[in-house]
Amino acid sequence: MNKRESAETLALQAFAWLLAQDDLVGVFLNATGAGQGELAALAGDPVFLGAVLDFLMEDDARVIGFCDASTLPYTAVMHARTELPGGQLPNWT
């Protein structure tokens, strides 16, 4: 599995975790404008998966909650985000 596939897998795990959080799922849907009927199709979109990780990274408590539930290091979300569209760090050299 390459870095991109690993990032997509982590983002899908984060998405599933997020959908199970009653206090966050509505906030997430409002923030993205996604409807519940679209979620299955959007789960296959790398850009949307990047938005899932962006949403998590807006609040440390979200990152901690997901990573603790998944037994991942807290930096895993940030590293995965850099592998998805729109998450690449600029090359300043």
Side-chain angles (χ1 to χ4, degrees):
M1 186 177 298
N2 66 34
K3 288 182 180 181
R4 171 78 177 256
E5 291 169 335
S6 294
E8 288 179 5
T9 298
L10 185 140
L12 283 169
Q13 292 169 335
F15 187 41
W17 176 84
L18 184 60
L19 292 176
Q21 307 306 305
D22 292 337
D23 59 330
L24 291 177
V25 69
V27 177
F28 174 72
L29 293 175
N30 286 336
T32 61
Q36 288 196 338
E38 302 172 88
L39 296 180
L42 289 171
D45 180 358
V47 173
F48 180 77
L49 294 175
V52 169
L53 298 183
D54 288 340
F55 180 78
L56 285 185
M57 290 190 302
E58 288 176 358
D59 186 342
D60 289 344
R62 296 176 194 163
V63 173
I64 291 168
F66 166 66
C67 289
D68 284 353
S70 304
T71 62
L72 292 169
Y74 299 141
T75 57
V77 174
M78 177 186 61
H79 289 296
R81 182 62 185 104
T82 64
E83 298 300 324
L84 296 172
Q88 293 77 17
L89 298 172
N91 183 359
W92 298 106
T93 59

